Amino acid sequence: LEAQMRSARQRLWFNVFRILLAMAVGTVILAPLEGWTLAYSIYFSAQMLMGAGWVDVMPVTTAGSWFTLLYSV
């Protein structure tokens, strides 16, 4: 039982790391690409990862649109 709990914790932390890494990548690339603040970029990255699909913040440049297309897949 203890080994199963340790394995579950490891999987949980690995998945948390993957989500934070994905948010960081989206934030770091989109902020300068779109000229957004860090807060806007974090908000947009979280929105894309959750699949919320709100359109209050969206890329306006061609490069940002292409990155978002690849990022969302």
Side-chain angles (χ1 to χ4, degrees):
L1 183 63
E2 187 175 322
Q4 288 175 336
M5 289 296 291
R6 187 175 357 187
S7 176
R9 272 194 300 267
Q10 287 173 343
R11 284 193 314 270
L12 172 69
W13 284 113
F14 178 69
N15 287 327
V16 167
F17 173 75
R18 285 177 37 195
I19 291 168
L20 292 176
L21 181 64
M23 282 192 61
V25 167
T27 299
V28 167
I29 292 176
L30 281 168
L33 202 60
E34 291 292 322
W36 291 341
T37 64
L38 229 60
Y40 255 58
S41 296
I42 291 169
Y43 175 68
F44 182 78
S45 297
Q47 184 177 296
M48 288 299 298
L49 289 173
M50 288 187 303
W54 300 321
V55 291
D56 55 338
V57 178
M58 54 191 214
V60 293
T61 65
T62 303
S65 296
W66 277 104
F67 174 76
T68 301
L69 175 70
L70 297 172
Y71 180 65
S72 63
V73 174

